[in-house]
Amino acid sequence: MGSTEAPARAARALGPWHPQEFMAECVETVPEAGGLMTFVFRRCDGAPLAFRAGQYVNIAFPVNGEDQDPVDRSYSLSSSPTEPWTFNISVKRDATGLVSPWVHQNVKPGTVLEMLGPVGAFHLPDADRRARYLLLAAGAGITPIMSMVRTIHSLPGHADVVVLYHGAEAGGFAFHQELAYIASVDSRIKVFYSLGDRNKPEGWEGLSGRLTAAMLDEVAPDANGRQVYACGPEGYLNTATELLGKVGVDDTSIYMEFFSGDRQTLLEYQAELALAVDIAEEIAEEIADSAEDYYESQPTAFGLYEPGYDAEGPLQATGLPLETVDPEAPETSDGGSAAEAEAEAPDASSFETVGTGSLTLSFMRTGINVRIDPTEHILGPAQRAGVRIGANCKEGMCGSCKVVKLSGEVDMNHQGGIRAREIDAGKFLPCCSTARTDMVIDA
Ligand code: FES
C-alpha cells in the first residue's frame, strides 16, 4: 500500500480548485433572456478549469485597446464544474456600464482573454450529507445559482433543491427553458418564478410580488434546515436576510453573493482577488517546476533540441560553451549565477553569423549571431543555428521555450505560456515572438 503522507506530485501540481492565471478563448456566444449573453470559453492551454459551483473568474478586458491597461471585472461562472473542459460566464448588458457593452459587442468566438480564477467563497459545499438547498436568485443573480442547479442535476444523489427566481418581466428569466427542462426530468429540483411587483401578464402561471415570508413558506415550508444560497442586488439580499430569519433559518445556513458595486462588496472582492493572485503565483511556480522536470525528462528523439544544419552539414555553434556555467554556483536575483555575472561578457562581434535577414540576434551562451527576418518567429532560426532552446507546443502555450532577452524588443503573441511578471522580468517565448529590433538573448 502506498504512503498517504503527501499527495502525489502531479495532483499537487495541478492544483485543483486553486486560482490560476490563464488565457481562455471564447468558443461560443449564446443570447439569453433578460439582456444576458452567455460566453463559452476554453482554456488556451487545453487544461480543464477546476472550480466549485458558485465561484467566479476575474477577467482582464482590453476595453481601451490592446496597448492600454485592461479593465478587470469579476463574473460568476454559470456552467457546471462537472463539465470542466469549457466554462461559461453570462453577462448582463448594462447600457451605462463601461465593460458589459464592450463585452457584448467584442467578445466573439476566437477572442482570447486573460483570466484569474476560480475565486470566491460563495459555492456549494464539497460534501454535504443533508443536501437540502433553497436557492434564491434575482435578475442576473441567477448566474451562480444556475451553476449550482446544473451541478446538482448532473450528479447522482439525494439532493432536494428549491429555486425561487425573481425577475422584472415575464420574458426576462434567463435560462428559463433549461430550468423548466431540468425541473421536468429531475424530481429533486423544483423551480418557482416570481414577477416582483409588476403586473402579471395574461397567462402568467408563476408567483408575483416581492420576496415575503409568506412566499418563502409557500415554496419551502421547511426552509429552516435547508442551506440557503442567495444572489442578487443588495436590497433584495437585505430583505432576504431579514425574512429568512423570520422563517427560522439560522444565520450559519445562509450564504450570499452581492451583485452590486457598493464599497463594502468591492473591498471584499479586492481582498479575495489579492489572495487569489498570491495563490495563483504559488501554483504557477509549482506547475512551471513540474513542467520543467517533465520536459527535461523527455528524450531528445522528441526533437526538443534540434541540431542546426545548413548546406554544408550540421552547424557548429561557437563562443561560450554551456558547460562553463557552474550549476552549484549561488544564484543572483535574476536567476543567473554569481560567477557568470562576474565573468566578462563575451563580445558578440566575434561570434560567427549565420542566416539572412535584416535583424541580428546575438545568442550569448551559445555564442552565435543569427540574422533573421522581422516577420519570422525567433525559435525556428535559433534552433536551426544550434541554439539549445527547449520547445514543445510551438504556439506560446506550454512555456517550455522561455528565454531571457538582455536587450532589444519583441512582438509576442502568446497563449498563456508566460506570465505578466515574467514578461516584466525580461523573459519571452521565442516560438511565438518576432524581433522588432536587433536583440541580445541569454541562450
Ligand atoms: S514552445 Fe510552447 S510556449 Fe514556446
Side-chain angles (χ1 to χ4, degrees):
M1 202 191 279
S3 160
T4 54
E5 270 171 26
R9 181 167 175 79
R12 209 158 42 94
L14 280 173
W17 300 305
H18 290 304
Q20 293 174 31
E21 285 179 324
F22 57 92
M23 304 299 287
E25 179 190 4
C26 176
V27 291
E28 195 181 349
T29 57
V30 184
E32 309 280 1
L36 269 73
M37 179 79 83
T38 289
F39 298 87
V40 183
F41 286 92
R42 69 172 181 90
R43 284 175 64 136
C44 292
D45 58 11
L49 180 67
F51 64 99
R52 295 174 167 103
Q55 289 192 297
Y56 61 89
V57 282
N58 186 261
I59 307 178
F61 295 103
V63 294
N64 299 315
E66 292 291 342
D67 49 350
Q68 300 290 315
D69 281 347
V71 178
D72 282 9
R73 285 288 185 277
S74 294
Y75 284 104
S76 291
L77 293 152
S78 51
S79 54
S80 165
T82 55
E83 293 181 3
W85 298 101
T86 57
F87 57 92
N88 303 0
I89 59 164
S90 302
V91 179
K92 187 176 168 74
R93 188 173 189 282
D94 168 5
T96 62
L98 169 67
V99 173
S100 67
W102 185 93
V103 173
H104 274 235
Q105 201 172 341
N106 293 284
V107 179
K108 310 228 159 18
T111 306
V112 172
L113 296 169
E114 203 178 318
M115 301 195 180
L116 166 71
V119 193
F122 177 77
H123 59 74
L124 289 181
D126 295 333
D128 182 355
R129 287 181 199 86
R130 290 177 289 178
R132 295 175 62 236
Y133 300 113
L134 172 59
L135 308 181
L136 304 176
I142 189 66
T143 51
I145 300 296
M146 194 62 203
S147 175
M148 295 178 183
V149 171
R150 285 170 164 159
T151 304
I152 294 165
H153 173 56
S154 68
L155 294 171
H158 298 283
D160 177 339
V161 182
V162 172
V163 181
L164 175 56
Y165 182 3
H166 269 81
E169 54 189 9
F173 290 88
F175 311 112
H176 67 281
Q177 283 175 331
E178 187 178 342
L179 285 168
Y181 168 75
I182 290 175
S184 72
V185 297
D186 191 334
S187 60
R188 302 171 299 172
I189 297 170
K190 292 187 186 62
V191 182
F192 297 89
Y193 301 91
S194 178
L195 263 184
D197 45 15
R198 301 286 173 95
N199 286 338
K200 283 190 281 184
E202 210 173 310
W204 174 252
E205 289 179 354
L207 304 167
S208 62
R210 295 187 174 213
L211 195 63
T212 59
M215 189 183 286
L216 285 173
D217 259 340
E218 186 180 343
V219 300
D222 57 350
N224 177 5
R226 288 180 181 264
Q227 302 292 302
V228 182
Y229 289 82
C231 185
E234 193 179 358
Y236 167 82
L237 293 179
N238 289 341
T239 306
T241 310
E242 194 188 315
L243 297 175
L244 287 164
K246 278 193 186 156
V247 298
V249 179
D250 188 67
D251 273 358
T252 58
S253 299
I254 303 174
Y255 308 90
M256 298 207 163
E257 182 91 313
F258 286 83
F259 261 27
S260 70
D262 76 87
R263 210 177 116 71
Q264 185 56 33
T265 309
L266 291 177
L267 288 177
E268 281 168 18
Y269 266 48
Q270 270 169 20
E272 276 189 339
L273 282 171
L275 182 62
V277 168
D278 286 351
I279 297 171
E281 283 180 2
E282 270 175 41
I283 296 291
E285 266 156 35
E286 278 202 40
I287 289 175
D289 284 352
S290 46
E292 218 163 273
D293 291 351
Y294 172 78
Y295 290 121
E296 276 174 10
S297 70
Q298 298 305 298
T300 49
F302 277 16
L304 296 186
Y305 301 113
E306 293 166 13
Y309 292 91
D310 66 10
E312 276 145 33
L315 285 169
Q316 281 301 316
T318 54
L320 272 192
L322 291 170
E323 305 72 68
T324 56
V325 179
D326 175 4
E328 298 302 318
E331 284 210 334
T332 54
S333 58
D334 67 355
S337 77
E340 192 188 335
E342 277 166 25
E344 209 175 300
D347 176 7
S349 65
S350 67
F351 296 166
E352 180 191 0
T353 300
V354 298
T356 55
S358 57
L359 298 174
T360 302
L361 311 183
S362 300
F363 291 95
M364 301 308 278
R365 288 171 186 254
T366 315
I368 196 163
N369 293 325
V370 181
R371 296 192 67 82
I372 69 162
D373 193 275
T375 59
E376 62 189 330
H377 287 141
I378 292 169
L379 179 68
Q383 283 188 328
R384 285 196 298 279
V387 181
R388 287 169 58 96
I389 298 176
N392 191 5
C393 71
K394 301 192 177 165
E395 289 179 8
M397 279 193 297
C398 70
S400 58
C401 65
K402 206 174 295 163
V403 292
V404 175
K405 75 180 161 61
L406 301 170
S407 70
E409 295 302 322
V410 288
D411 282 321
M412 178 162 52
N413 186 13
H414 71 87
Q415 312 263 2
I418 191 164
R419 296 154 52 70
R421 68 183 167 82
E422 293 178 310
I423 298 172
D424 292 345
K427 297 184 180 175
F428 76 103
L429 301 173
C431 71
C432 57
S433 299
T434 53
R436 218 189 283 166
T437 62
D438 286 347
M439 295 183 65
V440 180
I441 297 168
D442 187 26

